[in-house]
Amino acid sequence: MREWIAGAEVGDDGYGEDPSVLALEALSARMLGKPAALLLPSGTMANLVAILLHSPRGSRALVGDQSDLWCWEGGGAAAFGGVTCQPIATQASGELSLRDLEHALEDRERENVAAASLVCLENTHCRSGGRALRLGYLAELSRFAEARGLAVHMDGARLFNAAAAGTGDIAAISRHATTVSFCLSKGLGAPAGSLLVGSAADIAQARRLRRALGGGMRQAGFLAAAGLYALQHGVERLGEDHANARSLAAGLKRVPGLQLLQDSPETNIVFFRVPGSPGATTAFIAGMAGEGIRLAELGKGWIRAVLHRDVSAADVERVLAAVRRVAPGLPVAVPPHAVVGWRV
Ligand SMILES: Cc1ncc(COP(=O)(O)O)c(C=O)c1O
């Protein structure tokens, strides 16, 4: 990847003249089966541009209450677009039920209710343990939205993991959303960059919005070259990360007291909790850091481990050996009822 970056052909993308960016955008659009694509610096900006694109000021976007967009993107839709995000309960599968969406839309014709413009999905869904949304669900959701005049944006930060989990090919998944974003970073291993993909008209407008948000880049071909490498060399190997995630989960399951969100993860994310008093999570993470392994607590005691191209099957064994050393020394256990629940 570094060789591709060093050798990248570049131009000024502000004028649409960077050949590497144009090649990356064309490849992304082709892979997702949509007419056009736009390179942005981050997944957060791709989601924000999508919301601004589909939602007039004063309107309402329905978003998952466990989505990255709602939890961790700084409230950008309200701050920069005057768009209200309405959080909808997330199912354990990562899906938003049509019943809950219908309920949220009940009064949408009333003048004192913010008009609804958009439904946002996350695929794979990180906080539910990297779950891939079912193709049948996506088809239903898309019909539901279309019948109500709503756009659908899919935050596919880990879209390629969803496809690698066998839920459908990339284009089949993307077909059910008006716009789709995906990250070149994360499992695909590029240093930065996300693509927003959709119709030619939507992407032309997204380009204006990106500019207004300060996301236009000049000789971005260096970044695009990393993205081109990621799409050509990073996609086919994602199954290895999923297999490593399953091995990690199987090993963690054998450590007394550890609690997994899912016994067999679908993609590259493993969530688990450690037994013990409230300080046990912090003590565990510190203990693992002492072993040279970095883990993050992602809310309410759940620890997230993410598998990617730089973590091998041998590394998973090393992690499990460290867990077996660290876990027994944790502060004393609390009653089991206090640690049950999938939400993270
Ligand atoms: C599902 C999801 N969407 C969006 C983002 C934001 O991406 P970025 O960090 O590139 O802004 C993340 C980041 O982890 C994510 O997990």
Side-chain angles (χ1 to χ4, degrees):
M1 184 181 283
R2 284 178 184 239
E3 281 169 19
W4 283 42
I5 294 170
E9 210 186 325
V10 298
D12 189 335
D13 187 47
Y15 293 102
E17 287 174 356
D18 187 304
S20 301
V21 172
L22 293 173
L24 174 64
E25 291 175 343
L27 176 64
S28 303
R30 201 161 60 244
M31 288 174 95
L32 271 67
K34 293 208 182 281
L38 181 72
L39 175 65
L40 296 114
S42 68
T44 301
M45 192 184 280
N47 283 337
L48 177 57
V49 165
I51 293 182
L52 300 184
L53 176 66
H54 298 302
S55 311
R57 214 174 168 77
S59 72
R60 180 165 54 117
L62 309 182
V63 305
D65 68 347
Q66 301 290 317
S67 63
D68 194 87
L69 206 158
W70 171 248
C71 300
W72 289 317
E73 296 187 5
F80 307 116
V83 178
T84 298
C85 284
Q86 179 172 2
I88 305 293
T90 308
Q91 305 299 306
S93 60
E95 296 166 359
L96 308 180
S97 83
L98 300 190
R99 207 159 141 248
D100 289 343
L101 290 169
E102 187 66 80
H103 184 62
L105 292 167
E106 258 163 21
D107 292 330
R108 68 185 191 283
E109 303 301 341
R110 291 174 55 159
E111 67 170 27
N112 57 355
V113 173
S117 51
L118 173 67
V119 180
C120 295
L121 299 175
E122 185 176 304
N123 194 16
T124 62
H125 193 277
C126 175
R127 281 159 74 95
S128 62
R131 300 286 299 269
L133 307 191
R134 294 166 300 129
L135 210 52
Y137 164 77
L138 294 176
E140 260 186 83
L141 185 282
S142 129
R143 281 193 296 273
F144 173 94
E146 195 181 347
R148 289 155 186 80
L150 305 175
V152 176
H153 171 64
M154 189 187 296
D155 172 359
R158 299 178 185 82
L159 179 73
F160 288 87
N161 293 92
T167 51
D169 68 32
I170 300 286
I173 296 170
S174 306
R175 213 177 81 216
H176 300 298
T178 322
T179 49
V180 182
S181 54
F182 70 86
C183 293
L184 299 165
S185 54
K186 309 192 170 47
L188 292 183
S194 288
L195 275 297
L196 182 68
V197 187
S199 72
D202 279 350
I203 296 306
Q205 179 60 13
R207 200 174 164 87
R208 299 177 76 96
L209 290 164
R210 180 189 68 173
R211 176 73 189 181
L213 291 170
M217 298 176 281
R218 297 292 177 184
Q219 277 69 27
F222 295 113
L223 204 52
L228 284 165
Y229 183 92
L231 289 180
Q232 285 165 57
H233 297 89
V235 173
E236 279 183 5
R237 54 152 310 283
L238 289 175
E240 288 169 36
D241 298 338
H242 298 186
N244 287 339
R246 287 194 294 275
S247 309
L248 178 63
L252 292 173
K253 195 163 188 274
R254 287 195 291 274
V255 179
L258 286 194
Q259 208 188 28
L260 284 157
L261 186 62
Q262 277 181 289
D263 282 356
S264 184
E266 285 176 16
T267 61
N268 65 330
I269 296 177
V270 180
F271 272 100
F272 62 101
R273 296 176 99 152
V274 299
S277 69
T281 307
T282 319
F284 179 80
I285 289 171
M288 290 296 285
E291 297 271 351
I293 294 152
R294 300 178 69 201
L295 292 164
E297 186 196 347
L298 236 69
K300 304 193 176 67
W302 286 100
I303 295 168
R304 184 181 75 164
V306 181
L307 285 295
H308 51 81
R309 60 183 307 125
D310 297 327
V311 181
S312 65
D315 291 331
V316 169
E317 291 311 315
R318 198 164 73 79
V319 169
L320 288 170
V323 170
R324 287 190 287 268
R325 280 192 294 276
V326 171
L330 298 176
V332 213
V334 288
H337 69 263
V339 292
V340 176
W342 73 271
R343 270 168 200 277
V344 294

